[in-house]
Amino acid sequence: MALDRIKQFIESKGWPYRFTDVAELGSIDFEYLGVNYHVWEFRDDQCGVESNVKNIGKLEEFLGDYQNDLIAIMEKWGE
């Protein structure tokens, strides 16, 4: 399933979210401490996501093991 690990992480935290799956590509919009975040999965030459999880005001591309990379960033929130 698309973005399954990220979705499970967000659910485990109890953060409100909306998930969409189109053609096996996922999109998650969620909120943490009143800030809206977005993770959008794409498939071009390789699979990746575009997200503002690392920098709220800027969308960035993450490639490779992007689910674990984004989870590692979110795990640090609140430290």
Side-chain angles (χ1 to χ4, degrees):
M1 183 161 79
L3 300 176
D4 58 336
R5 286 179 277 164
I6 292 174
K7 184 179 169 188
Q8 289 172 0
F9 178 81
I10 291 169
E11 287 175 348
S12 76
K13 297 294 186 180
W15 300 338
Y17 74 96
R18 184 183 61 197
F19 176 76
T20 306
D21 186 349
V22 176
E24 298 181 17
L25 296 173
S27 175
I28 300 175
D29 293 291
F30 67 99
E31 184 179 316
Y32 173 68
L33 296 178
V35 178
N36 294 314
Y37 294 92
H38 177 75
V39 179
W40 172 70
E41 195 170 37
F42 63 85
R43 187 175 301 127
D44 288 329
D45 293 338
Q46 55 185 318
C47 291
V49 295
E50 187 173 83
S51 180
N52 65 338
V53 167
K54 185 174 180 182
N55 184 351
I56 298 168
K58 180 181 176 188
L59 290 173
E60 299 177 67
E61 287 187 0
F62 295 84
L63 304 170
D65 193 9
Y66 53 86
Q67 290 198 68
N68 284 331
D69 293 344
L70 291 178
I71 289 169
I73 292 168
M74 291 184 286
E75 285 176 332
K76 294 178 183 176
W77 292 353
E79 288 185 349

